[in-house]
Amino acid sequence: MLRFRLSLLLTTALLVAILAFGVLAVVLFGRLQYRQLETLLMRDLHQIQRFFETSQVGVEFIDGSGGRRLQFVSRDGEVIVPPEEEEAIPYFQEPELIEFEGVPTLTASVPWITPLGTEVGTIRMGYDATVIGRGRLILIRSLVVSGVVICLLGLQLSLRTLQRALSPLKQLADQADRLDPANPTMEKYEGPDDEVARVAKALERALEAIRARQKSERDALAEVAHELAAPLSVVAGQLNALAAENADPRFQAAKDAADELLYTSQDLLTLARGELELPLELGAVDLYEVAWRVARQYPGVAITGRPGADVLGSSERLTQVVRNLVRNAVQASAAEQVTISVEQTDDRVELAVRDEGKGLDVLEQARIFERFVSGSPSQGAGVGLTVAKGIIERHEGELAVSSRPGKGSVFTIRLPSLTAQIEEA
């Protein structure tokens, strides 16, 4: 989802910024602590040095409170005060962070000068530097907790903000998903004048171009089909009369060819006039009787089933569908190898047209219902199955194909029965 990806991107950027800020804060905080400890160390050392230059000191003056270690060391490195300590703090004139007796220690030294001005050794002091680590750890934990809270709040806020910002784009995408290829129209975009508005306007211009192209193609196709239909009707009528008077097979072949051309022109007119989108004149239709009438037009085609396979539909359009399926089956194989079967259940009627032709492979089956795609060059222009599928879908039914190369094909119409349609109503 785009909204989630953008929110995740914003949250990641926020997390990186917080992480960078946290690292910088920890480093600067540690340096500040170190500098403060250095300042405190040198201040205490100089105060003690000035004190001993002008007075005396007893052992009780020295204590280890606050993590502080103070030593008075002779010139030969022996710890004078406090006397119980044997190991002297290392000598450094400037503050230095070292490991002393297993503890991180910030240490420095100044000369030990008596009130008489004699330098008798060094005054060495060390501060426990673990306080720096503890303070840094507390800071890191605070930053982590606050960073997690800020990121969660930022993610939630960005999700809501992006949801509102991307709402026009989502509406546009929903309209694009619902576009009808036969009539590609969409509602006018009413959102703000931004990039989404530009996309909407570009899409609308593209749809207008598509509609104009469709209308131009339909008008041209309708004109051609109309010009063909009139003379073909005359030719088919004359050939039918000649075939009835003369047994010459050439007349019969010519009649069949003229009928095929006439049926093809009718399919072209159906597509060109957009009749697949027009309302149907519905009534009770016996699908078995439709199949029987079509089978009579193709001697040799067998039919199984029984009358009473009633559906709610257009008799003219369903006849056109069955005729297209039988015509394709006869072209794929001999008429004697074609069978129409009609079966009825309580809620569905199925009509199947089987042939024993060369069959279709998987790729051909996937495209067989596309416009101007046919199973073979001998099966016409490839509009009959497109029209058939469109008509069946208008009847809330399904047209499917099952085939194997060399094993023939089966085209099956599945329609709700008239009883089921009445019960749903």
Side-chain angles (χ1 to χ4, degrees):
M1 184 183 295
L2 179 61
R3 178 167 61 92
F4 179 76
R5 292 200 302 269
L6 290 177
S7 298
L8 187 61
L9 180 62
L10 291 176
T11 305
T12 302
L14 179 62
L15 181 60
V16 171
I18 292 175
L19 181 61
F21 171 77
V23 171
L24 182 62
V26 169
V27 171
L28 293 178
F29 181 73
R31 288 183 179 179
L32 178 62
Q33 283 187 307
Y34 184 79
R35 294 289 181 264
Q36 289 177 339
L37 199 59
E38 279 185 341
T39 303
L40 183 62
L41 173 66
M42 295 308 298
R43 185 197 65 186
D44 289 348
L45 275 173
H46 287 299
Q47 286 180 348
I48 293 171
Q49 183 186 36
R50 286 193 299 270
F51 179 81
F52 279 96
E53 287 178 357
T54 58
S55 67
Q56 300 293 324
V57 62
V59 175
E60 67 275 10
F61 179 82
I62 310 301
D63 62 47
S65 62
R68 184 182 65 177
R69 297 283 298 274
L70 181 63
Q71 293 180 347
F72 292 82
V73 183
S74 64
R75 288 178 175 274
D76 57 4
E78 181 182 355
V79 180
I80 305 303
V81 179
E84 68 273 8
E85 294 188 7
E86 297 181 356
E87 183 179 358
I89 297 174
Y91 173 75
F92 294 100
Q93 290 185 349
E94 298 296 330
E96 188 74 21
L97 185 62
I98 63 170
E99 189 84 11
F100 181 65
E101 294 184 351
V103 177
T105 304
L106 183 66
T107 181
S109 305
V110 293
W112 178 11
I113 301 174
T114 65
L116 299 177
T118 304
E119 184 176 341
V120 296
T122 56
I123 303 173
R124 305 180 185 183
M125 182 176 288
Y127 271 98
D128 187 355
T130 56
V131 64
I132 299 177
R134 288 195 297 269
R136 188 178 301 174
L137 182 60
I138 293 173
L139 178 62
I140 291 175
R141 289 176 178 173
S142 300
L143 288 174
V144 168
V145 173
S146 60
V148 170
V149 173
I150 291 173
C151 285
L152 291 177
L153 293 176
L155 178 61
Q156 185 177 10
L157 180 62
S158 61
L159 282 172
R160 291 183 177 180
T161 303
L162 287 173
Q163 181 178 10
R164 185 174 302 175
L166 296 177
S167 178
L169 185 59
K170 181 179 181 300
Q171 295 175 5
L172 190 62
D174 291 340
Q175 289 192 50
D177 287 338
R178 295 192 299 267
L179 283 177
D180 183 4
N183 185 25
T185 58
M186 58 182 293
E187 300 175 4
K188 185 178 180 180
Y189 178 74
E190 300 293 346
D193 188 12
D194 53 12
E195 287 77 6
V196 179
R198 291 176 58 188
V199 173
K201 292 177 181 177
L203 182 58
E204 180 60 31
R205 288 195 298 269
L207 293 179
E208 288 178 359
I210 292 174
R211 291 193 295 270
R213 180 66 178 270
Q214 286 180 333
K215 185 178 184 304
S216 175
E217 291 178 348
R218 285 181 174 178
D219 290 344
L221 191 60
E223 183 176 352
V224 172
H226 181 73
E227 293 295 329
L228 289 174
L232 282 175
S233 298
V234 175
V235 171
Q238 296 296 327
L239 288 174
N240 283 333
L242 291 174
E245 297 173 359
N246 196 318
D248 191 334
R250 291 177 295 180
F251 285 112
Q252 184 63 39
K255 180 189 85 67
D256 293 341
D259 288 340
E260 296 301 325
L261 288 174
L262 187 59
Y263 295 147
T264 300
S265 67
Q266 291 174 352
D267 291 337
L268 288 174
L269 279 174
T270 300
L271 288 175
R273 293 171 178 170
E275 294 179 4
L276 295 180
E277 290 80 43
L278 296 178
L280 296 172
E281 296 182 4
L282 302 179
V285 179
D286 186 345
L287 205 56
Y288 177 84
E289 290 187 2
V290 171
W292 182 78
R293 289 197 303 269
V294 173
R296 288 181 58 190
Q297 299 174 10
Y298 297 89
V301 173
I303 181 171
T304 63
R306 57 187 178 83
D310 294 332
V311 297
L312 184 64
S314 166
S315 177
E316 178 184 359
R317 293 304 178 198
L318 291 176
T319 300
Q320 185 178 3
V321 171
V322 176
R323 184 173 60 238
N324 283 343
L325 297 182
V326 173
R327 177 159 51 103
N328 286 345
V330 171
Q331 291 173 347
S333 63
E336 291 75 13
Q337 296 175 331
V338 176
T339 302
I340 308 174
S341 62
V342 181
E343 298 179 359
Q344 181 181 12
T345 62
D346 292 337
D347 59 350
R348 189 167 66 179
V349 175
E350 289 190 2
L351 184 149
V353 178
R354 296 175 173 82
D355 66 66
E356 298 180 13
K358 68 181 186 65
L360 303 170
D361 59 30
V362 176
L363 294 178
E364 289 174 328
Q365 292 181 54
R367 300 192 57 203
I368 194 65
F369 295 111
E370 295 180 14
R371 187 174 300 185
F372 305 124
V373 174
S374 63
S376 68
S378 63
Q379 293 185 10
V383 295
L385 290 177
T386 302
V387 171
K389 186 174 180 64
I391 293 174
I392 294 301
E393 288 177 349
R394 293 296 307 279
H395 284 78
E396 299 181 2
E398 176 189 5
L399 175 58
V401 59
S402 174
S403 181
R404 288 190 301 169
K407 300 295 183 179
S409 303
V410 181
F411 286 84
T412 305
I413 299 171
R414 299 183 180 92
L415 292 171
S417 67
L418 180 60
T419 303
Q421 293 280 58
I422 293 175
E423 290 177 354
E424 288 182 4

